């Protein structure tokens, strides 16, 4: 107690002294006040000083009405208060860096990288800034107790410097290509080649070359696992800042918020895939790097899952295609098994399950959705729970298990109305109507009122989706309505709905729904006897669905073979040539040249 009283006396005297010097005009800057505080305040006694400062301020405020001098005294005290807050902030930063330094130094050598990477997790509000990382590097160098700690310290600075090189050219690649071609799929250039030309760091250059050439990142890790830790830390920091910069830029695009949003999604997943592949390449070779890259993958997935605009109803893989989509699923599947049951895991599983559905892997999709459903319930994530009920309904429709489909969609509809989830309600309405159309068709129920009821559900869902301005659900709704009209042999009504659905699918960026719309437009035009337009839409649907490896490309290929069988080879080729300009506008010359090869693969199966 006497020690506390002694400190209080000292701090009273310190404040009085600063005030007196200020009133005498001897204080010329706030920096002088700050230096006096740093010199005389003992570490760990901030609460005592703050209490005494508050007493002086409150006492002086009370005297303002009676003492003319009090105004100047109060101004001096407020200066002290401002500099005290600055001292606190810097002292806290120094304390945080000191704590971080000890954590890294005390970590086992096989976990030192992971210990550091937790400090730069962007989903953590206390993650270190670039300036703080520089201070951490200096602190680690000054107190290094091992070669690994020193390598880590140097790697931090190298990574920050590498980003300084690329930061001015972060988005330069975007202006080299049409914005509609942006993304990370095989048909898109992406940023890799642009960055490769701008950087001279060996490991980063090697990685960008691999990505440009669509080569195995896992193999790169297997071959380079003995490269010094310093170089890998540099690369990890560089990749993190590149990813953060791109996502920030895409999120701020005013010309097309939905477009920028989709590119943010694919950016987060692309960089997560890179870290997942690196982690797997280090398996059995370098546990420190394996754990570190796994942690980076996990941080990115969690960052994505925590976004307010997380796409619970799919469409995310618009910027992936072919092998990229398959690799994304492959590299996330096993790592996610190691992740604890969290809300974030439920959401990522929902996304992966939707993607498995587009590939026709219905059993795998169901298992993902069921696990996501269970975790979402535990986490009380109602929108995610409802989304998985809706997705399961859709899978059962594709599997022709219509009673199950109706059961899941009705549960989603009731639950969404209970909790006020309008997006879940829109999808529930669409799924109820869609599944009822197919069930009635299967059991050959032709009563008009049954179909009228089902169509009414679809139209209600569409109206709600339009009100929400949600492209994905509108695309699904129009697609479902159009397919229902195809099933009901009403091709003209089907075409109207499917054409609207196609525009919504383009807006949402969902390649799968685009392909489905084209597939059923082809069938509707075939029913009307318009073979040329049917061939046009069949070609587009077949190409898009085959590109994302959806099993439903065969439906279009089958229709093309039927049409081809109704005429001579020359007549069929003539129709293709007539449609060539329009087809090329949508899928390019390379896509058009790929069509005969896809048909040949279908014929050979």
């Amino acid at each position: 107690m006497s020690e506390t009283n002694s400190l209080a006396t000292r701090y009273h005297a310190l404040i009085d002294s600063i005030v007196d010097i200020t009133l005498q005009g001897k204080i010329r800057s706030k920096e002088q006040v700050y230096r006096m505080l740093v010199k005389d305040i003992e570490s760990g006694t901030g609460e005592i000083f703050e209490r005494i400062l508050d007493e002086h301020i409150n006492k002086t405020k009370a005297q303002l009405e009676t003492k003319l001098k009090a105004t100047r005294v109060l101004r001096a005290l407020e200066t002290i208060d401002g500099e005290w807050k600055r001292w606190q902030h810097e002292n806290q930063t120094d304390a945080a860096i000191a704590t971080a330094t000890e954590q890294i130094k005390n970590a086992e050598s096989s976990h030192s990288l992971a210990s550091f990477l937790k400090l730069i997790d962007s989903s953590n509000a206390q993650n270190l800034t670039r300036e703080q990382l520089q201070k951490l590097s200096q602190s680690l160098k000054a107190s290094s107790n091992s070669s690994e700690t020193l390598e880590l310290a140097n790697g931090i600075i190298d990574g920050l410097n590498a980003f300084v090189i690329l930061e001015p050219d972060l988005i330069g690649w975007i202006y080299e290509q049409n914005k509609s071609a942006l993304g990370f799929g095989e048909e898109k250039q992406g940023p890799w080649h642009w960055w490769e030309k701008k950087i001279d760091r060996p490991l980063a250059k090697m990685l960008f070359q691999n990505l440009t050439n669509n080569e195995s990142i896992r193999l790169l890790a297997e071959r380079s696992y003995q490269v010094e830790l310093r170089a890998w830390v540099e690369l990890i920091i560089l990749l993190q800042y590149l990813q953060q910069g791109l996502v920030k830029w895409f999120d701020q695009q005013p010309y097309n918020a939905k477009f920028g949003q989709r590119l943010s999604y694919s950016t987060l997943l692309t960089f997560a895939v890179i870290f997942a592949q690196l982690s797997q390449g280090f398996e059995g070779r370098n546990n420190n790097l394996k754990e570190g890259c796994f942690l980076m993958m996990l941080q990115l997935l969690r960052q994505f899952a925590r976004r307010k605009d997380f796409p619970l109803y799919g469409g995310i893989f618009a910027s992936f295609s072919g092998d990229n989509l398959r690799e994304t699923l492959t590299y996330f599947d096993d790592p996610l098994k190691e992740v604890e049951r969290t809300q974030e895991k439920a959401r990522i599983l929902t996304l992966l399950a939707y993607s498995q559905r587009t590939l026709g892997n219905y059993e795998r999709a169901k298992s993902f959705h069921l696990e996501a459903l269970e975790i979402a319930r535990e986490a009380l994530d109602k929108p995610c729970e409802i989304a998985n009920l809706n997705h399961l309904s859709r899978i059962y429709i594709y599997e022709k298990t219509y009673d199950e489909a109706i059961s899941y969609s009705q549960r989603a509809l009731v639950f969404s109305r209970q909790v006020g989830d309008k997006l879940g309600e829109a999808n529930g309405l669409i799924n109820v109507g869609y599944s009822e159309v197919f069930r009635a068709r299967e059991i050959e129920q032709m009563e008009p009122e049954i179909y009228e009821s089902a169509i009414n559900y679809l139209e209600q869902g569409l109206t709600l989706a339009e009100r929400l301005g949600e492209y994905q659900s509108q695309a699904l709704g129009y697609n479902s309505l159009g397919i229902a009209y195809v099933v009901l042999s009403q091709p003209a009504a089907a075409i109207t709905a499917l054409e609207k659905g196609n525009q919504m699918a383009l807006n949402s960026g969902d390649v799968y729904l685009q392909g489905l719309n084209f597939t059923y437009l082809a069938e509707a035009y075939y029913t009307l006897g318009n073979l040329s337009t049917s061939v046009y839409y069949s070609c587009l649907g077949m190409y898009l669905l085959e590109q994302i490896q959806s099993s439903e490309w065969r439906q279009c290929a089958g229709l093309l073979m039927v049409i081809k069988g109704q005429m001579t080879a020359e007549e069929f080729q003539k129709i293709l040539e007539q449609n060539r300009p329009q087809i090329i506008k949508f899928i390019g010359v390379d896509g058009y040249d790929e069509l005969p090869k896809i048909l040949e693969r279908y014929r050979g199966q």
Side-chain angles (χ1 to χ4, degrees), residues 471-495:
Y471 292 145
Q472 182 74 21
S473 298
Q474 289 181 69
L476 179 64
Y478 279 118
N479 175 266
S480 303
L481 187 60
I483 293 172
Y485 281 130
V486 169
V487 169
L488 297 174
S489 301
Q490 298 180 34
I495 288 168

Side-chain angles (χ1 to χ4, degrees), residues 183-468:
F184 298 92
E186 289 172 359
E187 76 289 358
K188 305 174 178 74
Q189 293 180 14
W192 317 120
H193 180 60
W194 178 265
W195 291 340
E196 178 199 335
K197 292 187 299 182
K198 304 289 181 180
I199 195 82
D200 60 356
R201 309 289 188 172
L203 196 56
K205 200 171 187 69
M206 199 184 308
L207 175 65
F208 295 151
Q209 286 173 346
N210 273 49
L211 290 164
T212 300
N213 299 326
N214 199 31
E215 296 173 351
S216 170
I217 299 171
R218 180 172 179 169
L219 190 58
L220 170 67
E222 290 175 358
R223 291 172 175 170
S224 309
Y225 73 94
Q226 289 181 318
V227 171
E228 61 181 2
L229 178 63
R230 174 177 181 169
W232 285 109
V233 173
E234 173 193 303
L235 180 62
I236 289 170
I237 290 176
L238 174 62
L239 289 176
Q240 187 192 47
Y241 278 104
L242 289 172
Q243 168 266 312
Q244 288 176 352
L246 284 179
V247 169
K248 182 178 180 181
W249 192 84
F250 288 137
D251 279 345
Q252 292 175 346
Q253 293 315 296
Y255 61 89
N256 189 332
K258 294 289 184 181
F259 178 72
Q261 183 187 73
R262 292 201 311 272
L263 287 172
S264 291
Y265 296 164
S266 60
T267 299
L268 284 163
L269 287 176
T270 296
F271 279 81
V273 169
I274 291 170
F275 282 115
Q277 292 185 41
L278 287 172
S279 179
Q280 293 194 350
F282 294 131
E283 178 75 47
R285 295 174 176 83
N286 188 317
N287 189 64
N288 198 19
L289 292 174
K290 173 185 177 296
E291 183 183 31
C293 289
F294 177 86
L295 184 60
M296 291 300 296
M297 179 274 294
L298 195 57
Q299 288 177 4
L300 285 168
L301 289 184
R302 283 179 167 158
Q303 182 184 338
F304 179 40
R306 289 172 182 173
R307 286 176 65 107
K308 292 180 180 179
D309 56 8
F310 182 83
L312 282 168
Y313 287 92
I316 176 56
F317 290 106
S319 292
F320 293 94
S321 63
D323 291 339
N324 299 74
L325 175 57
R326 288 196 301 273
E327 287 179 8
T328 298
L329 298 174
T330 300
Y331 287 113
F332 284 158
D333 188 4
D334 289 338
L336 277 175
K337 291 175 183 174
E338 300 181 36
V339 179
E340 67 274 17
R341 296 165 69 83
T342 64
Q343 177 184 3
E344 291 88 355
K345 182 174 181 177
R347 290 187 166 228
I348 296 298
L349 282 171
T350 304
L351 189 67
L352 297 185
Y354 175 86
S355 305
Q356 289 286 1
R357 190 178 90 203
T358 71
L359 298 174
N361 300 332
Y362 298 140
E363 287 303 316
R364 194 167 186 74
K366 271 196 295 189
S367 68
F368 279 177
H369 278 309
L370 288 168
E371 185 178 357
L373 181 66
E374 185 180 348
I375 297 172
R377 281 176 181 157
E378 292 173 2
L380 302 179
D381 186 348
K382 294 179 176 61
C384 185
E385 183 179 347
I386 292 164
N388 280 283
L389 291 171
N390 273 318
H391 285 307
L392 284 163
S393 169
R394 207 74 183 181
I395 293 174
Y396 281 115
I397 293 170
Y398 296 149
E399 290 187 330
K400 299 180 172 55
T401 313
Y402 301 120
D403 287 338
E404 287 289 329
I406 290 172
S407 174
Y408 273 103
S409 60
Q410 286 176 337
R411 286 164 61 189
L413 181 57
V414 170
F415 190 19
S416 63
R417 285 174 168 169
Q418 287 175 345
V419 302
D421 178 8
K422 294 298 182 184
L423 185 56
E425 181 182 353
N427 281 271
L429 286 164
I430 291 165
N431 285 332
V432 169
Y434 191 59
S435 51
E436 285 192 351
V437 167
F438 277 86
R439 182 174 68 172
R441 177 175 179 250
E442 183 186 50
I443 62 179
E444 299 182 349
Q445 285 185 320
M446 300 310 294
E447 291 85 350
E449 59 271 15
I450 294 175
Y451 291 105
E452 287 173 7
S453 172
I455 296 296
N456 183 50
Y457 274 116
L458 286 167
E459 290 175 340
Q460 284 185 60
L462 263 171
T463 300
L464 182 52
E466 287 170 354
R467 197 181 306 149
L468 295 170

Side-chain angles (χ1 to χ4, degrees), residues 72-271:
R72 295 175 63 203
V73 172
L74 180 61
R75 192 179 302 127
L77 289 170
E78 286 173 344
T79 299
I80 298 172
D81 185 51
E83 295 310 298
W84 161 244
K85 287 183 171 61
R86 175 187 166 192
W87 183 87
Q88 277 187 310
H89 174 74
E90 294 193 6
N91 199 48
Q92 287 169 355
T93 298
D94 290 344
I97 289 172
T99 301
T101 300
E102 288 307 307
Q103 286 176 353
I104 293 169
K105 287 169 56 182
N106 293 333
E108 294 180 19
S109 60
S110 60
H111 301 293
S112 60
L113 180 59
S115 179
F116 161 67
L117 294 178
K118 290 174 184 176
L119 303 171
I120 61 171
D121 184 353
S122 58
S123 62
N124 178 1
Q126 304 301 318
N127 68 310
L128 300 181
T129 64
R130 287 162 75 170
E131 183 182 355
Q132 289 168 341
L133 280 175
Q134 290 178 330
K135 289 184 176 181
L136 175 62
S137 174
Q138 293 167 0
S139 175
L140 288 171
K141 284 182 181 179
S143 60
S144 173
N145 59 351
S146 69
S147 59
E148 280 196 355
T149 304
L150 189 59
E151 281 196 46
L152 201 153
N154 287 322
I156 293 171
I157 293 298
D158 291 345
L160 294 173
N161 290 338
F163 181 64
V164 168
I165 295 170
L166 289 186
E167 190 172 17
D169 292 299
L170 179 67
I171 58 171
W173 59 283
I174 291 173
Y175 299 100
E176 281 199 335
Q177 56 189 299
N178 189 307
K179 284 190 172 62
S180 64
L182 291 178
F184 298 92
E186 289 172 359
E187 76 289 358
K188 305 174 178 74
Q189 293 180 14
W192 317 120
H193 180 60
W194 178 265
W195 291 340
E196 178 199 335
K197 292 187 299 182
K198 304 289 181 180
I199 195 82
D200 60 356
R201 309 289 188 172
L203 196 56
K205 200 171 187 69
M206 199 184 308
L207 175 65
F208 295 151
Q209 286 173 346
N210 273 49
L211 290 164
T212 300
N213 299 326
N214 199 31
E215 296 173 351
S216 170
I217 299 171
R218 180 172 179 169
L219 190 58
L220 170 67
E222 290 175 358
R223 291 172 175 170
S224 309
Y225 73 94
Q226 289 181 318
V227 171
E228 61 181 2
L229 178 63
R230 174 177 181 169
W232 285 109
V233 173
E234 173 193 303
L235 180 62
I236 289 170
I237 290 176
L238 174 62
L239 289 176
Q240 187 192 47
Y241 278 104
L242 289 172
Q243 168 266 312
Q244 288 176 352
L246 284 179
V247 169
K248 182 178 180 181
W249 192 84
F250 288 137
D251 279 345
Q252 292 175 346
Q253 293 315 296
Y255 61 89
N256 189 332
K258 294 289 184 181
F259 178 72
Q261 183 187 73
R262 292 201 311 272
L263 287 172
S264 291
Y265 296 164
S266 60
T267 299
L268 284 163
L269 287 176
T270 296
F271 279 81

